[in-house]
Amino acid sequence: MSLRLALLQLKFTKDKIANVRNAIEKINKVVQEKQPKVVALPECFNSPYGTKYFPEFAEKIPGGYTSEILSKCAKDNKIYIIGGSIPEEDNDKIYNTCTVWDPTGALIAKHRKVHLFDIDVKGGIRFKESETLTAGKDLTIVEIDGHKIGVGICYDIRFEEMARLYRNAGCEMLVYPAAFNMTTGPLHWELLQRSRANDNQLYVVTISPARDETADYIAWGHSMIVDPWAKVVKSAKENEEVIVHDVDFSIVKQVREQIPVFVQRRTDLYKTERV
Ligand SMILES: NC(=O)CCC(=O)C(=O)O
């Protein structure tokens, strides 16, 4: 049995209400036209991606404006929503947080980005999420139709150890709402997804904002689904786009049987702890 997944690559503005409205309209449309079971949104989908915006856009989860609307949308459409991420306010701290909603509208997971995006590439990009954000402390797994899905946010994808822990815990798919940029996007976006998929023999899914050349931070776009062979099965371009794919989990089993590296590991020489 496959799982129909829709990825919404959306454009965002400095107007939170308009951003959330755009997301809900696009969710309703894809549900009507394609009946996906799971719809996933981009990183920071209700706010511009920038440290100066996070305090102003931050909300409580659950209970805040965006949470209430995502919960209702999941319930009305009877779908799972992997709610990209939004800035979350809790106890005077701000997190970059992905919410996951089930078809009854219940919040079944909340992942706070565990690796903050702090880089300084000379002549390229400098970004310090830690100027306003705090890192999460937990890994997050959700189960949909009996399949375990590990959740990460953007920069989290660079950390193979995290992906490996998800694989060790039985995940068959990793989902990363993500906003790479015009420096690291062309270099590493596809490479990292294919690497995580290949190393761990599972699906890797990313959902990016659409590219907006007028934004302070220009997202790379190219939301993508990579299968457990590390093959790109679907990829968006730069603009707003919806990708729909029937994820076939039997491929996970196939790859793991045919290239059995996980039973061949020399864990007497090296080991990654289990979650
Ligand atoms: N939003 C992010 O975490 C961006 C990560 C990124 O661009 C990278 O190169 O890593």
Side-chain angles (χ1 to χ4, degrees), residues 43 49 96 113 115-119 125 127 129 153-158 177-185 188-189 192 217:
E43 182 180 23
Y49 184 65
N96 185 346
K113 189 176 191 173
H115 301 96
L116 295 185
F117 179 46
D118 283 2
I119 67 166
I125 179 170
F127 202 96
E129 278 193 323
I153 300 176
C154 203
Y155 198 55
D156 285 337
I157 199 173
R158 288 189 178 270
F180 269 43
N181 53 78
M182 304 301 283
T183 302
T184 60
H188 297 153
W189 175 251
L192 285 165
Y217 179 95

Side-chain angles (χ1 to χ4, degrees), residues 140-141 148-150 166-174 200-202 252 256:
T140 308
I141 295 174
K148 286 188 179 170
I149 299 173
Y166 281 147
R167 161 72 207 260
N168 289 349
C171 289
E172 295 175 80
M173 178 188 281
L174 305 181
N200 297 295
Q201 302 178 307
L202 38 64
V252 175
R256 292 179 185 183

Side-chain angles (χ1 to χ4, degrees), residues 20-75:
V20 175
R21 190 187 314 121
N22 183 34
I24 300 303
E25 280 171 10
K26 298 279 178 3
I27 294 173
N28 291 341
K29 184 165 188 288
V30 75
V31 168
Q32 210 169 45
E33 291 174 358
K34 306 277 184 188
Q35 297 88 44
K37 181 147 202 174
V38 183
V39 178
L41 302 176
E43 182 180 23
C44 239
F45 82 92
N46 73 354
S47 140
Y49 184 65
T51 52
K52 68 178 180 204
Y53 299 107
F54 298 147
E56 181 195 334
F57 282 75
E59 299 176 12
K60 293 279 181 212
I61 299 175
Y65 174 77
T66 308
S67 290
E68 293 289 293
I69 290 181
L70 287 181
S71 167
K72 181 173 180 328
C73 181
K75 187 174 176 188

Side-chain angles (χ1 to χ4, degrees), residues 55-112:
E56 181 195 334
F57 282 75
E59 299 176 12
K60 293 279 181 212
I61 299 175
Y65 174 77
T66 308
S67 290
E68 293 289 293
I69 290 181
L70 287 181
S71 167
K72 181 173 180 328
C73 181
K75 187 174 176 188
D76 289 349
N77 287 301
K78 299 187 179 54
I79 53 166
Y80 289 88
I81 297 179
I82 301 178
S85 78
I86 64 171
E88 176 197 8
E89 188 260 302
D90 187 31
N91 272 328
D92 295 329
K93 293 197 168 90
I94 304 170
Y95 302 90
N96 185 346
T97 302
C98 174
T99 55
V100 185
W101 306 89
D102 79 4
T104 70
L107 179 66
I108 56 168
K110 174 163 111 165
H111 178 76
R112 292 172 167 168

Side-chain angles (χ1 to χ4, degrees), residues 119-128 183:
I119 67 166
D120 190 357
V121 179
K122 306 299 171 217
I125 179 170
R126 179 187 180 279
F127 202 96
K128 299 273 175 210
T183 302

